[in-house]
Amino acid sequence: MAWQFERVAGPCEGPAGGVVRDGDAVVFSTIDEGKLWRFDPASKAATEVRRYTNRVNGLARGPGGELYGAQEGGRRLVEFTSDGRMVAVDALLDGKYHNQPSDLVVDRRHRIYFTDPRHAVIPFGPAIFPFLDHCSVLRLERNDRRAWVANRVTYDTISPRAVLLSPDETTLYVADGEAKEGHARELRAYPLRPDGTVGHAAVLQTFGRDFRGPQRGIEGMCLDADGNIVAVGGWRRSGPGPLVYVISPAGAVLESHSLPADLPNKCCFGGAGLDTLFVTTAGGELFCAKTDRRGLA
């Protein structure tokens, strides 16, 4: 089945970021504008639901329906509460501020795994605090006093872009590397231990280069009902262009679908039947397509 994508919201000023399910609708972020929007497929209307979010990129749901965001501007995670507040979810890593969170996922024990790259061109976030000397996947979890504690998870990443958990939460998927010299762009699968630490990663996919330059790797991921990884990445500058990939847990590319817009960012399933895939782009747009797959409920 060909997935026919149509633009349903945007373009806005700057890139659109994270997108998560909200009932039959979806909520997505517009990073430069500092806003959250809710798109309702029934009415085909996008409504502003939050503002002044300070460059929230990735979005994720907690086990109780909590809505979390990766706030690049504040160099922290935040929770958007139902009473309209934006609450800091943060902790120092060995006494130091981390970098600029871009994506996140929450497990059933309410531990938050998030990517923590640095932006090479524009250093968003308070510059008074030095950046870390590494770009890793980090984990936030509450201690016995209910205070958030930060721990480093990966020690071999160079610029993690997207993060995802397998349905049974025994595998941590990480998309690593930017489209520039010296970066290997890979999709990795780390075996995840019960204590939240990881073993050695298997490389599921790699992205190379052609005469035009390095290919852009994966920027966003979600799961289908069969536990496959549905990922978005690529660009028109090199490689096969902007695509949606369906990748098995073992790393086989089961199918791919072209996108009508450049630089896809994040994705999620939504709609009444969980069979509509929503994709945000760096052009500030939200696209969707009916698919022959269902998202993981």
Side-chain angles (χ1 to χ4, degrees), residues 232-255:
V232 294
W235 56 3
R236 293 170 178 163
R237 193 179 305 177
S238 62
L243 292 173
V244 177
Y245 304 88
V246 182
I247 303 170
S248 77
V253 177
L254 305 178
E255 57 190 86

Side-chain angles (χ1 to χ4, degrees), residues 4-295:
Q4 302 295 328
F5 285 91
E6 63 171 330
R7 188 177 69 189
V8 292
C12 65
E13 295 182 11
V19 57
V20 293
R21 183 185 177 201
D22 187 44
D24 292 344
V26 293
V27 172
F28 67 99
S29 67
T30 50
I31 301 172
D32 288 359
E33 289 184 337
K35 295 179 180 179
L36 297 187
W37 301 80
R38 186 179 191 270
F39 175 75
D40 183 359
S43 65
K44 298 188 181 300
T47 306
E48 180 186 315
V49 292
R50 297 290 180 107
R51 57 173 56 190
Y52 311 122
T53 63
N54 196 8
R55 301 193 58 82
V56 163
N57 188 349
L59 297 170
R61 292 286 183 187
E66 302 88 354
L67 179 59
Y68 294 102
Q71 190 186 68
E72 294 177 355
R75 294 174 60 182
R76 62 183 184 177
L77 306 184
V78 294
E79 179 184 357
F80 297 98
T81 63
S82 58
D83 60 3
R85 294 177 298 138
M86 184 172 65
V87 179
V89 179
D90 204 8
L92 299 180
L93 179 67
D94 299 326
K96 299 178 181 179
Y97 285 85
H98 49 71
N99 300 320
Q100 295 152 315
S102 64
D103 195 26
L104 68 167
V105 65
V106 190
D107 71 9
R108 297 185 187 96
R109 294 171 58 182
H110 222 133
R111 299 178 297 187
I112 307 175
Y113 295 83
F114 64 98
T115 57
D116 192 42
R118 289 189 299 266
H119 295 276
V121 179
I122 304 174
F124 304 115
I128 190 172
F129 303 113
F131 290 103
L132 298 175
D133 60 2
H134 57 86
C135 295
S136 308
V137 174
L138 307 181
R139 183 184 70 251
L140 282 177
E141 58 188 310
R142 291 190 185 273
N143 62 17
D144 294 338
R145 294 177 293 174
R146 303 294 295 165
W148 290 103
V149 177
N151 292 283
R152 185 176 178 182
V153 178
T154 62
Y155 290 81
D156 57 353
T157 48
I158 53 175
S159 185
R161 318 300 300 167
V163 66
L164 185 68
L165 286 166
S166 63
D168 62 3
E169 299 187 352
T170 61
T171 304
L172 182 71
Y173 299 113
V174 178
D176 189 40
E178 299 178 56
K180 62 183 183 182
E181 298 300 331
H183 278 221
R185 292 158 304 284
E186 298 177 337
L187 173 61
R188 301 175 182 175
Y190 293 85
L192 187 60
R193 306 183 184 102
D195 65 359
T197 61
V198 296
H200 294 293
V203 176
L204 303 186
Q205 288 291 319
T206 62
F207 298 84
R209 58 175 296 123
D210 58 27
F211 69 95
R212 297 169 294 176
Q215 298 177 14
R216 182 173 179 261
I218 289 169
E219 289 288 324
M221 302 184 286
C222 62
L223 291 172
D224 72 8
D226 296 322
N228 298 307
I229 305 156
V230 179
V232 294
W235 56 3
R236 293 170 178 163
R237 193 179 305 177
S238 62
L243 292 173
V244 177
Y245 304 88
V246 182
I247 303 170
S248 77
V253 177
L254 305 178
E255 57 190 86
S256 62
H257 301 270
S258 295
L259 284 162
D262 204 10
L263 298 164
N265 195 358
K266 306 296 181 192
C267 61
C268 81
F269 281 98
L274 271 185
D275 58 355
T276 300
L277 186 70
F278 292 86
V279 178
T280 61
T281 73
E285 302 156 304
L286 177 69
F287 285 82
C288 74
K290 276 282 190 181
T291 75
D292 51 355
R293 294 184 177 272
R294 290 174 55 86

